[in-house]
Amino acid sequence: MALLGPLLAGRANQVDLPRILAPPSATLPLGADDLGRPVLARLAAGAGTSLAVGFGVVLVSAAIGALLGGIAGFAGGWVDLVIVRIIDVFLAFPGILLAIALAGILGPGLGNVVIALAVVSWVGYARLLRAQVLSLRGRDHVLAARALGAGPVRILLRHLLPLAAAPLIVEATFGVAGAVVAEAGLSFLGLGVQPPAASWGTMIRDGVSQMLTAPHLVAAPGAALMLVVLAVNLLGDRLRDRLDVRTAAR
């Protein structure tokens, strides 16, 4: 659906006043909204927004978190102490409230939503990779690489990060689901993408006032949001089982 979104973008924003709040039918499988726009086309366009935010947030936050967490776990000492204290400061704030504050400061827009959510989400990746590096840096192959003169950057990228990649991949799948829900929440509050661009959170917000007369305006994006989050979480569970050496051995 996200791939079809750009092809349906023109139709998703096409206002048709005679079809305002039209119920689902053969020509309109999911009905029309309060401007006569087809909900199915809006849903497809909103899927592209959710996909862009989900993967964008994960890529940025995972890169920042992996970098800081790897440095903290490998360097140790005062470097580790400073980074851990920074992580503690971010953990002291509720994530969604911090994201709302950042989105309000930066202003609405897709790019600002990605930045606001990435600033909140990098902490989990940093903690995870730091713990992995702390448990791996005393391994024999790391000591051998040091004895052969390998530098810290080479050891971190070549010998430690590949071994810690599996839990990071699993964490990233759950991060996509969290980012999709967070983007919908920010858009519901008016801090995400702005009209006429489609977003599932914006569709739910616009449909709340029509719950009694046109419940399909909320049901369609709400069901899509639930199914996407459920699918991504199930994917994360399967990846965790496949990448777990003990489970794979059984």
Side-chain angles (χ1 to χ4, degrees):
M1 186 179 291
L3 295 176
L4 292 175
L7 301 177
L8 299 175
R11 190 182 174 200
N13 297 323
Q14 184 178 358
V15 176
D16 191 350
L17 297 182
R19 298 194 304 183
I20 288 179
L21 300 181
S25 62
T27 56
L28 294 171
L30 295 179
D33 65 3
D34 54 351
L35 293 177
R37 298 171 297 188
V39 174
L40 181 59
R42 301 282 296 172
L43 206 65
T49 301
S50 298
L51 182 69
V53 171
F55 283 97
V57 169
V58 167
L59 288 175
V60 175
S61 58
I64 297 173
L67 176 63
L68 294 178
I71 292 174
F74 188 75
W78 67 269
V79 176
D80 182 31
L81 182 61
V82 170
I83 294 177
V84 168
R85 290 298 170 263
I86 294 174
I87 292 174
D88 291 339
V89 170
F90 275 87
L91 289 176
F93 295 94
I96 188 62
L97 293 182
L98 182 58
I100 291 173
L102 290 174
I105 293 172
L106 296 173
L110 186 61
N112 291 338
V113 169
V114 172
I115 294 173
L117 294 178
V119 169
V120 175
S121 305
W122 69 270
V123 178
Y125 300 98
R127 294 181 65 193
L128 178 61
L129 193 61
R130 175 182 174 272
Q132 292 292 317
V133 171
L134 286 175
S135 65
L136 294 172
R137 67 179 185 179
R139 295 279 184 92
D140 292 340
H141 71 284
V142 177
L143 299 177
R146 281 180 172 175
L148 292 173
V153 176
R154 180 179 176 82
I155 292 175
L156 186 61
L157 297 178
R158 187 77 179 271
H159 301 285
L160 293 176
L161 191 57
L163 295 178
L168 279 179
I169 293 174
V170 175
E171 178 72 14
T173 59
F174 295 119
V176 171
V180 169
V181 173
E183 184 276 328
L186 292 177
S187 295
F188 183 86
L189 296 174
L191 298 173
V193 297
Q194 297 299 296
S199 169
W200 291 346
T202 305
M203 293 174 65
I204 294 174
R205 182 192 64 192
D206 294 340
V208 166
S209 59
Q210 308 290 342
M211 278 285 292
L212 296 179
T213 57
H216 62 276
L217 299 184
V218 175
L225 188 63
M226 181 196 69
L227 291 174
V228 166
V229 173
L230 177 62
V232 174
N233 283 330
L234 291 176
L235 175 63
D237 290 337
R238 293 295 298 272
L239 282 175
R240 182 183 58 195
D241 295 338
R242 291 292 297 272
L243 297 175
D244 190 345
V245 177
R246 292 168 298 181
T247 304
R250 290 198 297 268

